[in-house]
Amino acid sequence: MRAVKFAGAAVAAVIIVIALLLVVGIPSGFLTSTIASRVENATGYRLSIDGTTKVSLWPTLNVTLNDLTLQDPKDRSGITRLTVDSVQADMTLSSVWSGRPKISELIITHPVLYQPLLRERLPNANPSPTPAVPLGIDGASIDRIKVTDGEVAFSRVRDRVEGRISAIDADAVTSRDRKVDFTGTARAGENPIKFDIKATAPAAPIERQTVPVDFAIDMPSVLTSQLKGRAEMRLNGPIVMINSLSGTLGDGTFNGWASVDIASKPLVKVDLDFQRLAIPLSKSPESAATQPWSNAPIDVSGLNYIDAQIRVSANEAAIGEARLAPLALDAKLAGGVLKASTANLGAYDGQVSGEVILDATSGAPSFAMHSDLVGVRALPLLKGLADFDRIDGKLQAKLALRSAGTSQRALMANMQGTAFANFQDGAIRGINVAQMIRSLTTGTLSGWQDSQEQSTDLSQLSASFRIDKGQAVTTDLNLIGPLVRVTGAGTIALDTKMMGFRVEPKLVMTTEGQGRTSEPVGFGIPVMIQGPWSQPRIYPDMAGMLDNPDAAYAKLREMGKGLFGPDGAGLGNILGSFGLGGSAPSGGNAGSNPNPQTQQPGQNNLLGGPLGEAIGNLIQQGLSSGTGTGTARSRSLPASPATPEPQASPAPPAQENPPAAQQDSQPMNDVLRQLFSR
């Protein structure tokens, strides 16, 4: 009887324990050593389980491990490691008893992979201790793996550099025919990523076996459309080889190959050929030209931690709004120095060749470039690359530039080099230079006075610049058009977007166009263009005119042919009436033409209209102001005396064809003082 009672108590105790286990679970810290040993034998990595471990039997067999760390035992720095907040595995109890565990779902919460950044490739980098673990090992299989809130952290403590791929949510589902569907989202910096990868996993071992892969990647902030394709992947030690790569990017197809060596510092090799390649560029706001350059730091330090060899070709390429066809670009990144070059790139009926070198090895990145453009249509190129649509024509240019800095403003302020540009057989759109010159006779202009309905035809516009510390200086600005000529010199401050030019404009007295035989007539007064390059002030340089009053007077007489009637008779009469030495040239007098400013038949009226009236009014207003005192603005003209000077005697009768050198300059000095020294 005592034995029966003891047996009944034991059975009752077992039933109670089993019931508690089904509800509460089994605290199984004693299993951690066994699990860690199995993982190290299979992968070569050391597993530490610092949190609690629990096994429950209801509703299915469930094992939960908390606070895990996986490390390479050969890594003394301890930087390379994988930390996981928790791992939960659900499986059937029958599969465990059979010795072939079948995990229906494996949930990995907040895994963080810490990866060091290397500046140099290790000479004898070894692959991982053992091949990667396949989805099935020792008869076990996993139907689904779910990753929640994962991260990949890249860092280099010495350089204080860190980068992350965060918010990784992924779901990998394996079917019975070993097909894997891997979908998820992530975020690289501020750029969201969405991916969908389908592959067929081979039987273990996976190394050196071809794995067919289909992929689709969305990066809205980088790619204009979805990147889709297929390839054949193969693992060869630490090298991932991607062969038979083909796909589509938007409406363009591509093909090529790629490889990634992850033994130490990653080495990426890519060779892609596109039918059509589209690279979006963010458009500058309309007010960008008036805003200063940004002082925001430019960080290209990431170029130090990856090496690459890239070749990209395309039958047609769209870079922003620019269209290039064909495109062939070779780039090499090694040791933090990026070199990109192109030869005979087709661009708008012309060709472009050049090279860009970006050095990111120091704290302040530096760049150098040289480029040649031949026969390129300027309007679509400049509009596509810089949203600049003011100049059209065939462009020939040579650029040799270098700079260093950590922001846009610093790069512009440190710019060095030379630049030459020549536009031929085109037009300056939205600006009528001849009209602007005529407008200068009445006042200062604020801005370019542009109008979409007007333009200035040009046969040539050229200038060469020498750039030093952000100051681009030219001495040979030259604009040649059917109705206007402009020469000049000046400086453009690249860092402050300011400009200062002194130009000599000349207007043509005929509409015969480029085939004319007559010489253009100069404005007679240098013109200053100063201020912000988007809206500068444009005004006559009066001080420059007063430097040489004799030449200015001769120029006024020459302009009088178009301003004040034939041979400048009107100008002579005006000056003669004030006793200032001016007289009507031979062949005309004040009485022969009652209206000297009236245009004669057949005479061109380009300068005889508004310009003649304006300068005539200026002279008459200046003369009618009397003999008031004033201070001369030019060192070549002495100040007017305090007492009034006597009236100049009437000029003698004019001789036939009097040379300009015989003109009396002192009366003109008085006129100019009254005009411009008030």
Side-chain angles (χ1 to χ4, degrees), residues 68 82-87 107-114 146-151 164 166-169:
L68 292 81
L82 172 67
T83 63
V84 182
D85 281 1
S86 68
V87 174
I107 301 175
I108 305 174
T109 303
H110 192 51
V112 181
L113 174 62
Y114 295 89
K146 186 176 181 180
V147 177
T148 303
D149 193 22
E151 292 186 46
R164 286 178 179 266
S166 59
I168 302 175
D169 293 323

Side-chain angles (χ1 to χ4, degrees), residues 286-465:
E286 295 182 358
S287 60
T290 61
Q291 298 297 322
W293 296 110
S294 172
N295 286 316
I298 299 175
D299 184 11
V300 293
S301 60
L303 298 178
N304 290 286
Y305 310 110
I306 185 172
D307 291 342
Q309 298 175 15
I310 300 174
R311 176 177 175 80
V312 177
S313 58
N315 291 338
E316 179 186 357
I319 303 176
E321 297 296 327
R323 299 295 183 268
L324 308 174
L327 168 68
L329 177 66
D330 288 286
K332 182 178 181 180
L333 174 60
V337 178
L338 172 64
K339 296 182 179 180
S341 62
T342 183
N344 300 325
L345 183 150
Y348 300 108
D349 303 328
Q351 291 185 334
V352 178
S353 301
E355 182 181 50
V356 176
I357 301 175
L358 176 59
D359 188 346
T361 56
S362 62
S366 63
F367 88 94
M369 69 165 294
H370 66 83
S371 179
D372 292 337
L373 292 81
V374 179
V376 178
R377 284 190 57 207
L379 179 62
L381 177 68
L382 297 177
K383 182 174 176 59
L385 293 180
D387 200 22
F388 182 80
D389 59 354
R390 293 303 180 89
I391 299 181
D392 196 6
K394 290 291 186 180
L395 170 62
Q396 180 177 352
K398 291 182 178 291
L399 305 175
L401 306 173
R402 65 183 184 277
S403 184
T406 57
S407 66
Q408 288 182 353
R409 188 181 183 92
L411 287 173
M412 291 298 172
N414 296 327
M415 191 74 69
Q416 306 272 349
T418 58
F420 168 79
N422 184 20
F423 301 87
Q424 292 183 330
D425 300 328
I428 301 177
R429 293 158 49 91
I431 299 176
N432 189 322
V433 176
Q435 180 176 330
M436 288 178 63
I437 295 173
R438 289 193 291 269
S439 300
L440 289 174
T441 62
T442 60
T444 298
L445 301 182
S446 298
W448 293 110
Q449 311 301 302
D450 54 337
S451 171
Q452 295 300 325
E453 291 77 21
Q454 303 186 32
S455 64
T456 300
D457 292 336
L458 59 87
S459 55
Q460 179 176 310
L461 171 60
S462 63
S464 61
F465 293 88

Side-chain angles (χ1 to χ4, degrees), residues 512-562:
E512 296 176 0
Q514 300 183 32
R516 66 188 180 277
T517 58
S518 59
E519 290 296 325
V521 175
F523 180 53
I525 306 175
V527 174
M528 303 301 295
I529 304 175
Q530 292 183 338
W533 63 32
S534 60
Q535 287 292 317
R537 294 178 64 245
I538 306 173
Y539 57 91
D541 181 17
M542 298 304 183
M545 181 178 179
L546 298 180
D547 285 342
N548 192 344
D550 291 337
Y553 178 59
K555 185 64 64 177
L556 285 175
R557 288 187 59 83
E558 180 183 357
M559 294 177 68
K561 299 174 183 178

Side-chain angles (χ1 to χ4, degrees), residues 418-421 462-466 472-477:
T418 58
F420 168 79
S462 63
S464 61
F465 293 88
R466 184 171 296 277
V473 180
T474 180
T475 59
D476 58 1
L477 175 68

